[in-house]
Amino acid sequence: MSIRRLLALLPFFLLTLLPAGPPATAAAVVAFGTVVPVPVTSTVTTGVTYGITASTAVYADPGAEGIAERLAALLRRSTGYPVPVSAAPGVGGVSLLLSGAPATVGAEGYQLDVTAASIVIRATGLAGLSNGIQTLHQLLPVAVDAATVQPGPWPVPGGHIVDYPRFGYRGAMLDVARHFFPVSAVERYIDQLVLYKINYLHLHLSDDQGWRIAINSWPNLATYGGSTAVGGGAGGYYTQADYQRIVSYAAARFVTVVPEIDMPGHTNAALASYAPLNCDGVAPPLYTGTDVGFSSLCTSKELTYSFIDQVVGELAALTPGPYLHIGGDEAASTAPADYAAFINRAQQIVAAHGKTVVGWHDVTKATPLPSTLAQYWGTTTRDAAVQTAAQNGTKLIMSPANRAYLDMKYNSRTPLGQSWAGYIDVKTAYGWDPGAYLTGVPASAVLGVEAPLWTETITTSADIDYMAFPRLPAIAELGWSPYSTHNWTAFKQRLGAQGPRWHVMGVNYYHSAQISWPGGS
Ligand code: TNX
């Protein structure tokens, strides 16, 4: 290796010393233009920085104390400063204000001003302030993400941002059914999602290989149906208290949980738990393989509908968010007419429990309720049933499998994941427009995007990290930033700049060769 190459790698090696021995680079001012998703408008004030110091306080308007506390906790951990939180307005410091933002920022946007004297985030509501502190987080030196106290200094680059999302629905899905993930792993993922302004977490709570949420009226679902996983591991399930912990952890970060009970297919775990749910009254064995399309609830039995009513009833009562996902995908073992009739009844049941139905786009083969959302997971840019539904008013969540599926391999050498929808490296994940992807579907029919992570091959948080990073931030940017900002060359630079932060955070990201990671890969 040449001396030059060695020198080029030096900052990276120094970074690897964090948090044990913080390097000089820890204090480097973050470039203003590296925020992901890219803000709607931002203007850097060259040469100006705000320094977080031992006397920095966070001032919060009434109602924003929780958000202020989250910011203060982040700062305290790595700066070691006291960072008190108090009522606005203060002099200097960081202010979180619920007044003064331009109306254009809407419910989720914010304005951020960093001057030498202060940092001020303004929004019209709490979600906007929460998004604003994520931008501020990304503008802090990467050492702020260290788990232990670092020496600083803590400069924030000066400038002005006005920012708001393109789409109201920016989601990520975690399949906790194929492999079970404990509450702590889900909370860790939520923290990662929030940094990129994702506001929905879809939990795929049941599938052939496991039922992961305790249902009091049908206890065997969790205790037996949840007792294994793909490959035959021990499985697991969330108690209702566990689920509520996830829901409130997410809600405190302005993330809404969308629970999914997949039906009528993907139901072997339920069918194995209760023999009467089967048309022939015989419970199949638990399943630990990875085939799809072989199971179906018995659409002709009334018991099936009281089962759904009770399951949905309990889940709806535990879920403050507006949505309940009924799956509906790959029901290859349900006759088409039975499928349509089943989905139509299931929708009524969900609506009766006060929730809006979400289904995989297969549900457009039934008769979607006017409020039902269809989640597109196909690999083509044309789908007749989806197009007709959209023209009749159905709103879509875009998760094309060959773009947005985080379980697809990056390339043939990726050790985890699948490849049925193709390889998805970062450029492919980023290179599409959710608002103009499907032929005959207008942008106005698109509610947003979601990046699903199926977990047949994924078993640990490190695996989640590896598949989600760096593609999740690409999907997040498609969901948040105006399409007029879409530019691969600019995006890959911003994305690369996140690498040192992920390193400090302990995120096991894939060092895609498409990105030049600062200091090398
Ligand atoms: C298809 S996409 C599925 C899932 C699998 C996934 C694996 C969809 C709605 N269903 O059951 O886990 O492929 O990539």
Side-chain angles (χ1 to χ4, degrees):
M1 202 185 289
S2 70
I3 295 287
R4 232 177 158 171
R5 173 87 178 131
L6 268 174
L7 282 176
L9 286 174
L10 193 60
F12 180 72
F13 287 138
L14 287 173
L15 266 176
T16 64
L17 297 177
L18 276 172
T25 49
V29 185
V30 170
F32 203 70
T34 57
V35 173
V36 176
V38 65
V40 175
T41 60
S42 64
T43 327
V44 61
T45 315
T46 313
V48 168
T49 58
Y50 175 84
I52 308 269
T53 66
S55 56
T56 299
V58 180
Y59 303 101
D61 265 346
E65 298 85 356
I67 298 170
E69 265 306 328
R70 274 203 286 135
L71 174 63
L74 173 78
L75 293 171
R76 285 177 199 133
R77 187 182 59 168
S78 48
T79 65
Y81 301 151
V83 198
V85 169
S86 64
V91 178
V94 183
S95 294
L96 307 181
L97 306 179
L98 287 164
S99 64
T104 46
V105 303
E108 288 194 275
Y110 63 92
Q111 175 180 308
L112 168 69
D113 288 282
V114 180
T115 66
S118 68
I119 296 177
V120 182
I121 302 176
R122 298 170 185 276
T124 62
L126 298 179
L129 288 180
S130 182
N131 286 319
I133 70 166
Q134 301 313 319
T135 296
L136 174 56
H137 182 161
Q138 290 189 18
L139 291 173
L140 288 160
V142 298
V144 83
D145 284 294
T148 53
V149 173
Q150 307 294 313
W154 304 98
V156 181
H160 171 73
I161 289 178
V162 176
D163 196 19
Y164 48 89
R166 177 183 183 193
F167 294 110
Y169 190 107
R170 303 174 305 280
M173 186 210 80
L174 184 62
D175 171 9
V176 296
R178 268 53 177 272
H179 283 102
F180 179 68
F181 293 86
V183 173
S184 58
V186 179
E187 290 179 346
R188 173 189 161 93
Y189 199 41
I190 291 169
D191 287 341
Q192 295 174 352
L193 303 177
V194 167
L195 188 54
Y196 296 97
K197 303 188 175 80
I198 285 177
N199 62 347
Y200 285 90
L201 173 65
H202 167 185
L203 289 176
H204 184 75
L205 289 169
S206 68
D207 212 302
D208 291 317
Q209 300 87 346
W211 184 286
R212 307 299 181 202
I213 174 83
I215 300 295
N216 296 332
S217 50
W218 296 76
N220 296 353
L221 292 169
T223 55
Y224 182 68
S227 66
T228 191
V230 166
Y237 64 89
Y238 303 121
T239 63
Q240 295 199 347
D242 288 339
Y243 176 76
Q244 284 176 304
R245 262 169 66 208
I246 293 172
V247 165
S248 13
Y249 190 90
R253 289 154 183 79
F254 299 86
V255 171
T256 300
V257 169
V258 180
E260 178 188 353
I261 299 296
D262 204 343
M263 58 182 95
H266 291 277
T267 43
N268 189 77
L271 296 166
S273 304
Y274 287 97
L277 288 176
N278 296 269
C279 280
D280 62 4
V282 179
L286 292 169
Y287 181 71
T288 60
T290 58
D291 286 347
V292 296
F294 62 88
S295 57
S296 179
L297 290 174
C298 186
T299 59
S300 60
K301 272 193 177 176
E302 271 314 298
L303 179 68
T304 297
Y305 301 96
S306 42
F307 166 75
I308 295 170
D309 184 52
Q310 288 171 330
V311 168
V312 165
E314 289 192 34
L315 196 51
L318 296 167
T319 304
Y323 301 122
L324 200 146
H325 202 305
I326 58 168
D329 57 314
E330 300 175 317
S333 302
T334 319
D338 294 344
Y339 175 82
F342 172 89
I343 292 294
N344 291 345
R345 257 185 101 170
Q347 289 186 100
Q348 297 295 345
I349 292 170
V350 170
H353 288 286
K355 297 297 176 190
T356 299
V357 175
V358 189
W360 297 105
H361 76 261
D362 315 51
V363 301
T364 58
K365 291 185 217 125
T367 311
L369 292 175
S371 57
T372 292
L373 306 180
Q375 183 169 7
Y376 182 71
W377 63 277
T379 55
T380 60
T381 54
R382 186 185 292 271
D383 183 295
V386 171
Q387 186 175 331
T388 305
Q391 280 160 7
N392 289 333
T394 297
K395 295 276 189 280
L396 300 178
I397 297 167
M398 295 299 294
S399 303
N402 53 345
R403 301 287 188 168
Y405 268 29
L406 300 178
D407 66 317
M408 290 301 119
K409 292 176 183 286
Y410 294 94
N411 56 47
S412 61
R413 296 174 305 282
T414 307
L416 303 168
Q418 308 206 47
S419 58
W420 65 264
Y423 298 125
I424 307 180
D425 210 327
V426 190
K427 193 174 183 186
T428 302
Y430 176 74
W432 59 291
D433 178 359
Y437 192 69
L438 286 176
T439 304
V441 173
S444 58
V446 177
L447 194 67
V449 290
E450 186 176 293
L453 180 50
W454 301 100
T455 59
E456 286 93 337
T457 66
I458 309 298
T459 57
T460 62
S461 276
D463 292 351
I464 295 175
D465 288 0
Y466 190 78
M467 300 310 270
F469 289 87
R471 293 180 292 194
L472 178 81
I475 303 298
E477 177 149 323
L478 294 180
W480 179 279
S481 306
Y483 200 68
S484 57
T485 64
H486 196 270
N487 179 309
W488 166 246
T489 309
F491 174 69
K492 68 178 179 180
Q493 261 154 22
R494 286 196 300 281
L495 191 66
Q498 309 291 306
R501 188 173 303 279
W502 297 336
H503 177 75
V504 173
M505 293 171 90
V507 173
N508 177 37
Y509 68 101
Y510 168 62
H511 291 62
S512 167
Q514 294 182 335
I515 309 296
S516 65
W517 304 101
S521 62

